[in-house]
Amino acid sequence: MQQAVWRDRAFFLSSEAVTMQKLAIYPGTFDPVTYGHIDLIKRAVQLFDRVIVSVANAPQKEVLFSSAERAEMLKAATKGIPRLSIECFDGLLVNYAKRKKAKAMLRGLRMISDFEYEFQMALTNRRLKPEIETIYMMPNEAYCYLSSKLIKEAASLGANLKDFVPRFVERQLKLKLRKA
Ligand code: ADP
């Protein structure tokens, strides 16, 4: 009798495991990917069954790289990280997250300066789709001040970016800025 109960429970758990796979999306511009983004991605795959890094095709801000270029750089920079995929998306973030059946949207919090905008965005998104949670994560303190914007400025002034982005991203940045 006891065995049957355990067997039932085991069955229940395994079928639940299939339907309860927790997917998180990590949306952003990633123009370009930095070690700050990569730090967050590595933390995220430890918390969720699957993570999709979602590259905004047409972000609100001006971008240097096309979405295909940004996604390609992300793919190369995260090669070998398990249960991770990279894709581009259009339109309203919460609608995309719902289509993907995501449980959560991940965002990074660096400084207090990120807080106000992120707080407004999280509460707006919650009002639009209450079933999708926004989760904030902090990077290693070494990357707390790092932003793609800063990296682009530093690259345009010829700085060495080895502590901030992978070498191939630095090369792409300098090539792109030369053409611009
Ligand atoms: P967005 O345009 O959506 O702000 P970004 O590509 O700048 O896109 O960033 C995507 C997400 O990653 C944001 O939540 C941002 O706060 C976070 N992020 C960016 N840089 C870092 C970093 N150095 N450390 C932690 N999180 C970061």
Side-chain angles (χ1 to χ4, degrees):
M1 183 61 190
Q2 185 65 19
Q3 248 181 358
V5 170
W6 281 114
R7 262 208 311 275
D8 282 354
R9 184 170 295 177
F11 174 73
F12 173 72
L13 283 176
S14 62
S15 58
E16 191 184 49
V18 172
T19 52
M20 293 288 287
Q21 280 240 330
K22 286 194 173 55
L23 165 73
I25 60 165
Y26 175 30
T29 309
F30 307 102
D31 186 46
V33 57
T34 70
Y35 284 138
H37 297 127
I38 298 170
D39 177 281
L40 238 67
I41 290 168
K42 287 182 177 163
R43 290 171 198 280
V45 294
Q46 292 180 42
L47 297 175
F48 290 89
D49 299 309
R50 270 191 325 123
V51 175
I52 302 178
V53 180
S54 310
V55 180
N57 264 327
Q60 309 296 2
K61 38 181 156 174
E62 204 182 306
V63 284
L64 185 62
F65 293 99
S66 70
S67 55
E69 289 170 328
R70 286 178 274 135
E72 273 313 307
M73 283 187 280
L74 267 161
K75 270 183 200 154
T78 57
K79 204 164 164 230
I81 299 180
R83 295 171 285 102
L84 180 77
S85 44
I86 318 289
E87 59 181 54
C88 297
F89 77 99
D90 281 303
L92 193 64
L93 176 61
V94 285
N95 288 348
Y96 161 79
K98 179 85 183 167
R99 276 200 310 280
K100 302 306 292 184
K101 300 191 170 61
K103 290 274 176 215
M105 301 186 291
L106 306 175
R107 298 282 294 170
L109 264 193
R110 289 159 290 188
M111 301 287 173
I112 196 77
S113 51
D114 278 340
F115 181 78
E116 196 174 344
Y117 172 73
E118 292 292 342
F119 192 63
Q120 282 180 352
M121 192 165 77
L123 292 186
T124 308
N125 284 337
R126 178 179 283 166
R127 181 55 74 90
L128 294 170
K129 290 268 185 280
E131 63 277 31
I132 305 173
E133 205 62 59
T134 305
I135 296 181
Y136 289 95
M137 293 193 302
M138 277 159 287
N140 182 300
E141 55 270 28
Y143 305 127
C144 266
Y145 58 90
L146 191 52
S147 72
S148 301
K149 183 167 179 264
L150 194 81
I151 291 305
K152 284 181 278 192
E153 281 171 17
S156 71
L157 298 170
N160 183 336
L161 303 178
K162 79 170 173 37
D163 293 339
F164 311 127
V165 296
R167 274 291 184 207
F168 74 91
V169 173
E170 179 171 359
R171 278 197 297 277
Q172 294 294 317
L173 257 171
K174 291 188 172 164
L175 265 176
K176 187 66 114 180
L177 287 165
R178 221 173 289 151
K179 285 185 204 153

